[in-house]
Amino acid sequence: MPENFGERNLQNLKELACLGALQLSGFNFAELVTAKINDWVSKDAMLELVPAGIYNGRKSIQEYVNFLYGPLFNIYDTLSHTQYYKVMSAESNQCVLFSTGINTATLNPETTKGGKAEVQVSARLHYDYTFAGSSASVSIKEAYIHYPEEYISWFFGDQLDTKQTRMFTCSVLEKYCPGVYKRNGFEGETGRDQCLETLRNLPLVEEFGNFRANSQSCRKYHSSFAAVNEDHCPHLSFYPLEDVNGQIKCQDISNTQRTYDDVFSKEIFKIIEAKAEDHFGEKVLFREIDSGSKSPELTGSPSVSPTVKKEIDELKNDECVDKPGEITLNTGSISSCQEIQFLEIKSEREMLCKATTIGLKLMTSRCPVACGRHACYSFVGSCKDTEKNKKFINLNSEKSCKTVNYLRTSEEGNKNAWYDRICSSYAQPIVNGKTTDISLGLELVQDRCPSACQNLKCTCGDNPISFVTDASYNSITGDRLEVMKERTCSSLYGIKEYLYRNVLCLLNVHAITPQFGQDSLKVFYLCPKACGFRKECFCRDSKKILPTPNYQTKTRNCKDASTYIPKHRNYWCDELKQPLFARSCPIQCGNSYCLEDAEDSKDTISLHGGLISTSCWLISKGDASFKDNACNAMEDDLQVRGHMLCPKACDGSII
């Protein structure tokens, strides 16, 4: 018996353990687009694709995987029978595994030429594993991916060299990155043409087969990411812009000479070539099956095709509307968004929402309301800070929305002492390196950075989605008071009995919302104005058009009440007679709850037809002349005098 027979057998057992653990863990590359990435990939994992660069952390890795199932592809699949595995290193609970096999890519003809190809794709995974009975778990620490240069050249240099691909990129830049779009000088009717021309003049692919420097390929690549994550918007810019991580991409050409030889050994390349030859019957790593169709360069002012716009909209999914119809899940079961919403047991809803459809679409995209997509339940609603890193001058120092957001929680989770003053004062633009002088028409920081400042127009707005609430029961008798029911915030305004409305506002909402952890989501969170639990939200007049369909005047505004005779004003401000109008217009109606111990409004105040934008804090710091003017002028949108909005700031200045 050979001397090292026992050692070799031990090593074989370790290699089998490596493969077995990966298999028992259920690891599936395609499912990395789902929450299962948390089960298989380490929080600080790293993935490298040499032509693209390095991706650090789960979020970045998931974005890379999502690219393969995004708007440039119709189908991306693996031919499982071609997969080959080799354990390169097997130590105690640690493995290095190499795999290679054929993948098929069918491209989207609406955003590319629509070709189809087979390609030998390889990977090296570094992971830890543990066994627990008949199951196992893995934690991937590093991953290195190899795509042949011939495929990259075909994909970026041929299939993406189309008008529709450039149109897709510029559409994303215009629609989802408006700040970056304007900073590149693209505005008005000619803006899209300028973007297309600028993009067309860049090289398709860089040297060494990379697509991470100043080229069309880099921007086309990142446009898929920017369509769902605005943090990638600076990467589409044609001049250098830092992203939220302080990095500049699609500009920097450093380290582009790193090659696959730095990552994979000669032995591995021999295996890749041999396995590819087994499939293709010749020494190639890639084969085009269908070249697709060339799209002619269109003339005139371009427009996005309805299909491309639909694809972008589905990716961004700002519409928080559940899709109708049955859904076949990748588990084989059939469900629907409505069925999920009406399931009483939270764990059952959560299980369905973590699944994906057969087409590997996330359920949070198909059922954003039922499955609690974060954007649909955000505390700041649809408000976003565009160009978070763009500098401006405020209170004599340079700031950005990112700075303001940091100050919101910088004092051990609480706001900095200067936070409210910063948000309530002016954001002076910096133009060509020079600061714009302060003028009364400048926008306030809270309007420049509505999310960072948690502007009341964002945090106090009723959520427009429909939602399902729990059944409610009498705590003493156990009798059911309310059945499980679909509701909207607007439906709460018609309730005249305030105790009943309060009961509804305290009900739980059915949604899997990660920002709430194990806590229940309450109706009053979605409907702060309708419920009125937060005084700063209830005691502000709505600027929206209010429906009054049963009257000759079919719609009204709060400011209309300023012209009513006392008898009519009292009627419309009576909550028992006109609950929608009265609760929407408490300041105009002089609601006693709002007048008692009234605080200064935190809203932006517009005076004299928009010539003056100010805040109660700025009024309080103004001289006597400015105070007298602002406190006694009519607010443009609400038609109430300034002192009604700023009782403390205007104390002693009422004429």
Side-chain angles (χ1 to χ4, degrees), residues 286-472:
F286 152 84
R287 175 184 290 163
E288 182 184 76
I289 297 173
D290 184 354
S291 63
S293 60
K294 287 186 176 290
S295 70
E297 289 293 331
L298 305 178
T299 57
S301 180
S303 61
V304 185
S305 74
T307 309
V308 174
K309 288 184 72 175
K310 178 176 179 290
E311 189 73 48
I312 299 174
D313 289 342
E314 283 184 354
L315 273 169
K316 190 68 176 180
N317 201 13
D318 280 334
E319 279 190 2
C320 291
V321 179
D322 287 348
K323 309 297 187 297
E326 292 185 335
I327 308 164
T328 303
L329 305 177
N330 60 352
T331 58
S333 60
I334 297 175
S335 187
S336 69
C337 300
Q338 187 178 36
E339 179 186 348
I340 292 171
Q341 272 204 309
F342 278 89
L343 283 173
E344 290 194 53
I345 301 174
K346 181 177 180 180
S347 60
E348 292 180 0
R349 298 198 306 274
E350 190 167 11
M351 179 182 68
L352 289 171
C353 288
K354 286 183 176 180
T356 57
T357 67
I358 282 183
L360 292 177
K361 295 294 184 183
L362 298 177
M363 285 297 286
T364 49
S365 295
R366 183 67 188 265
C367 305
V369 175
C371 289
R373 187 172 185 267
H374 185 280
C376 300
Y377 294 87
S378 171
F379 183 63
V380 294
S382 60
C383 291
K384 293 181 180 178
D385 297 338
T386 57
E387 299 183 294
K388 298 177 185 177
N389 294 309
K390 187 175 181 179
K391 305 292 185 180
F392 54 84
I393 299 299
N394 168 264
L395 300 180
N396 299 317
S397 67
E398 196 174 82
K399 297 183 180 69
S400 67
C401 293
K402 189 174 182 179
T403 307
V404 177
N405 192 54
Y406 166 75
L407 293 174
R408 183 171 60 85
T409 57
S410 63
E411 302 297 324
E412 296 182 351
N414 299 312
K415 59 187 178 183
N416 182 280
W418 282 88
Y419 173 76
D420 286 334
R421 283 173 274 186
I422 290 169
C423 289
S424 298
S425 51
Y426 294 115
Q428 298 170 251
I430 301 173
V431 181
N432 297 325
K434 296 182 179 179
T435 305
T436 304
D437 293 337
I438 288 183
S439 68
L440 297 178
L442 284 178
E443 67 177 348
L444 303 187
V445 174
Q446 66 182 16
D447 297 313
R448 175 70 174 272
C449 311
S451 179
C453 285
Q454 299 204 336
N455 193 313
L456 289 187
K457 68 181 181 183
C458 307
T459 64
C460 287
D462 288 338
N463 198 316
I465 67 174
S466 60
F467 50 88
V468 172
T469 54
D470 279 346
S472 64

Side-chain angles (χ1 to χ4, degrees), residues 10-23 25 40 85-99 123-131 136-144:
L10 178 60
Q11 190 62 26
N12 289 340
L13 288 173
K14 289 180 179 179
E15 292 178 4
L16 288 173
C18 284
L19 290 168
L22 196 65
Q23 183 177 11
S25 72
W40 300 320
Y85 300 94
K86 177 181 175 62
V87 177
M88 301 177 65
S89 173
E91 300 301 329
S92 178
N93 297 106
Q94 293 182 330
C95 298
V96 177
L97 177 71
F98 169 77
S99 70
R124 189 175 81 239
L125 303 179
H126 298 234
Y127 59 95
D128 298 342
Y129 69 90
T130 55
F131 285 100
S137 62
V138 297
S139 178
I140 297 172
K141 308 293 186 182
E142 298 175 19
Y144 301 87

Side-chain angles (χ1 to χ4, degrees), residues 49-51 64 76 100-103 117-123 145-156 205 208-211 260 264 269 272-273 276 280 283-287:
L49 173 62
V50 170
Y64 161 74
Y76 187 88
T100 187
I102 300 294
N103 287 5
E118 290 183 339
V119 57
Q120 189 81 25
V121 180
S122 308
I145 310 297
H146 175 269
Y147 278 88
E149 289 184 12
E150 306 96 301
Y151 172 78
I152 291 172
S153 177
W154 174 80
F155 182 78
F156 286 105
V205 187
F208 313 109
N210 290 299
F211 49 94
Y260 282 129
F264 296 96
F269 278 116
I272 293 173
E273 291 165 0
F280 294 120
K283 293 184 180 298
V284 295
L285 302 180
F286 152 84
R287 175 184 290 163

